[in-house]
Amino acid sequence: MKFLTLSVISAIFISGGYARPSRLAEREATRRLRGSRPFTGSPHFAVNSTSNGTDSQSEPNSFAVTSSGTTLHDEYSTNWAGAVIESPPTGQNFTTVSGTFVVPKPTGSNGAASAWVGIDGDTASQSILQAGVDFKISGGKVTYDSWYEWYPNYAYDFSNFAISAGNTITITIHSTSSKTGTVTLSNKSTGKSVSQSLNAPSSSTALKGQNAEWIVEDYEENGSLVPFANFGTVTFTNASASTSKKTVTPSSGIKVNIVQNKKLLTSTSFTSNSVTVKHT
């Protein structure tokens, strides 16, 4: 995987969206301060294969991880936690990725995070077609936003789509071509759904269909990572990624956890078609 230098990391900040001001201009301006970004490897923890077939950390006095007999192993990031499939079945491209999760209620005083589903953004880092839910706690008050984005364009809010803690949300990302796609969020608790068609920002940001993701992200505001919210647990169920010929599950990918300042902030586990991310 890709362990980027700080100079490279600083060059890939993007704009996105978070808060919900009362006026459209304020809302869009705030969106541009919020940033998602492609997978950024942690420079502090690198996974090395050992002779006994397990994975271990390269840094002394760190924790060990094992591959548990699957292709899903651990890697570390400063901003992503969850599962990533880094390549589709041979000769094919991912066109649809979906997953369902229960909206968490963050605790504490201040912090934020985002749960999303997407295509590309890992090995295919030039673009991400994604949609998700931001959850933020400020002064003990919890707020939510739902959004869609074709990176490197900034994110847009879905309007008139209410979200509350405990709601069950299904996200479906579908590319109709390398330069067009549709995202859909369905709130199973309220019976409401929203969809949006998107176009690639430019020819250089066309999708390659090489990656599928189910992610909890520590995003950025004003070029710095926000305090990572204690969100408890997010579990993506019914998680699948499809090509025109085949459907696969997260167990064919890699497991990612967030490490910042040499501290492990998440713990990711999985079954054949679900991904669970816990705040540690």
Side-chain angles (χ1 to χ4, degrees):
M1 283 276 292
K2 304 139 293 302
F3 297 97
L4 304 184
T5 64
L6 291 178
S7 61
V8 174
I9 291 171
S10 65
I12 61 174
F13 291 152
I14 68 167
S15 296
Y18 188 71
R20 183 176 291 155
S22 58
R23 294 192 300 274
L24 179 60
E26 293 175 352
R27 184 169 164 180
E28 290 184 345
T30 304
R31 274 289 179 193
R32 294 175 186 273
L33 297 178
R34 188 270 196 197
S36 296
R37 64 182 178 187
F39 178 96
T40 303
S42 169
H44 301 301
F45 290 78
V47 176
N48 295 319
S49 296
T50 61
S51 58
N52 63 5
T54 63
D55 292 330
S56 64
Q57 301 298 328
S58 62
E59 196 167 278
N61 302 318
S62 58
F63 42 87
V65 294
T66 63
S67 60
S68 304
T70 75
T71 60
L72 203 68
H73 59 275
D74 279 32
E75 294 199 8
Y76 298 92
S77 169
T78 57
N79 59 323
W80 284 18
V84 179
I85 302 177
E86 291 191 306
S87 59
T90 303
Q92 302 176 50
N93 299 314
F94 287 124
T95 57
T96 303
V97 183
S98 63
T100 299
F101 69 98
V102 176
V103 176
K105 184 176 181 179
T107 58
S109 298
N110 297 284
S114 183
W116 56 266
V117 174
I119 297 176
D120 288 346
D122 189 304
T123 58
S125 61
Q126 78 291 333
S127 59
I128 316 172
L129 179 58
Q130 59 185 149
V133 174
D134 288 346
F135 27 96
K136 180 178 182 180
I137 186 166
S138 180
K141 180 181 179 181
V142 177
T143 56
Y144 299 98
D145 284 294
S146 58
W147 52 270
Y148 57 92
E149 179 178 10
W150 193 312
Y151 169 86
N153 263 1
Y154 68 92
Y156 294 85
D157 281 327
F158 283 111
S159 60
N160 301 316
F161 186 67
I163 294 177
S164 301
N167 285 175
T168 299
I169 305 294
T170 295
I171 303 174
T172 302
I173 310 297
H174 178 62
S175 62
T176 49
S177 73
S178 64
K179 297 181 182 180
T180 59
T182 302
V183 301
T184 301
L185 268 64
S186 298
N187 190 328
K188 304 299 184 181
S189 301
T190 64
K192 302 294 184 180
S193 296
V194 286
S195 296
Q196 180 65 43
S197 297
L198 293 89
N199 296 317
S202 65
S203 59
S204 63
T205 58
L207 295 174
K208 296 187 181 300
Q210 295 299 295
N211 311 141
E213 300 105 4
W214 302 265
I215 298 297
V216 175
E217 182 178 5
D218 185 11
Y219 61 83
E220 298 170 347
E221 283 184 350
N222 293 316
S224 298
L225 293 173
V226 298
F228 194 43
N230 187 345
F231 55 86
T233 301
V234 170
T235 297
F236 296 94
T237 58
N238 298 317
S240 65
S242 300
T243 69
S244 61
K245 299 179 180 180
K246 188 175 182 179
T247 297
V248 297
T249 65
S251 60
S252 63
I254 65 169
K255 191 164 49 175
V256 179
N257 280 302
I258 292 177
V259 172
Q260 295 175 4
N261 299 318
K262 299 188 179 182
K263 293 182 179 180
L264 183 69
L265 300 187
T266 63
S267 174
T268 299
S269 59
F270 69 98
T271 64
S272 61
N273 66 346
S274 71
V275 179
T276 296
V277 181
K278 293 183 179 180
H279 189 284
T280 58

